[in-house]
Amino acid sequence: MALPADCSVLNTSKLHATAVVRLAYSPSGTKLAAASQDTTISLLKTPIIQNQLDVTSLQGHNGAITSISFSSNDQFLLSSSADKSCIVWNMKPGKKGEKLLTLDRVNRPRVSDMTPSTPSSTAASATSSGSKQQNPEFAEQIRQAQFYNDDKIIVVASGNKLYFY
């Protein structure tokens, strides 16, 4: 790769109230996600020059975002946070920004209430029935979460442990 002779700024925009701490490009290069300490993720349509900063804001975490990762097919974004949770976001056209899944418990993920076809009989009951001993929250903040094995597995790093879902 050759570096351009002139590295001038093409565009700048304030996206967040606090520092941007993570950036991730989608595999197709059509989206750029910028995560912040202010608990939000900004999703930009690329190339930025042609799309005049088309920004969608994703809100759902209660702590600083610690990681963001796109699925290999560009259809999902996975975020993790200091609030000890991960969220799988829908990136499909017309549904961009919908929460599909929240991972905030060690044993069973909680399917978001926003998902139309929610198999919530076992997942939601673990959260609402008070069975915290059987299904505890993550002990430490989640530092990293990532899609793995052609998006069939989500890997979560919390403390000194890896969790595979």
Side-chain angles (χ1 to χ4, degrees):
M1 177 174 115
L3 294 176
D6 178 23
C7 284
S8 58
V9 175
L10 300 175
N11 198 339
T12 122
S13 179
K14 183 178 177 182
L15 298 173
H16 296 276
T18 60
V20 173
V21 294
R22 300 283 180 264
L23 295 172
Y25 264 106
S26 64
S28 68
T30 59
K31 300 175 205 70
L32 172 66
S36 174
Q37 293 173 333
D38 68 7
T39 74
T40 62
I41 301 166
S42 293
L43 192 65
L44 292 82
K45 193 184 233 182
T46 59
I48 293 168
I49 309 261
Q50 294 173 350
N51 291 300
Q52 275 94 27
L53 286 178
D54 180 1
V55 180
T56 301
S57 182
L58 307 179
Q59 298 179 353
H61 286 291
N62 295 316
I65 309 297
T66 56
S67 73
I68 47 177
S69 170
F70 281 96
S71 62
S72 62
N73 63 6
D74 272 6
Q75 295 190 11
F76 307 101
L77 177 71
L78 175 62
S79 61
S80 65
S81 170
D83 68 4
K84 302 179 184 177
S85 74
C86 296
I87 297 175
V88 177
W89 305 88
N90 197 342
M91 293 290 110
K92 294 177 185 175
K95 299 193 181 246
K96 186 168 61 172
E98 257 183 23
K99 282 192 224 177
L100 296 176
L101 178 72
T102 300
L103 297 169
D104 62 353
R105 302 280 174 182
V106 172
N107 296 323
R108 295 180 203 104
R110 186 180 75 222
V111 177
S112 173
D113 295 334
M114 298 176 76
T115 306
S117 57
T118 303
S120 60
S121 58
T122 58
S125 66
T127 304
S128 61
S129 68
S131 59
K132 291 184 179 182
Q133 294 299 337
Q134 294 174 354
N135 192 15
E137 293 180 351
F138 288 100
E140 298 182 44
Q141 77 176 3
I142 298 170
R143 296 281 184 182
Q144 180 77 27
Q146 195 166 325
F147 290 104
Y148 174 68
N149 193 22
D150 290 330
D151 307 331
K152 295 175 188 157
I153 296 172
I154 294 173
V155 182
V156 175
S158 177
N160 64 353
K161 296 179 183 175
L162 293 178
Y163 298 88
F164 296 86
Y165 296 94

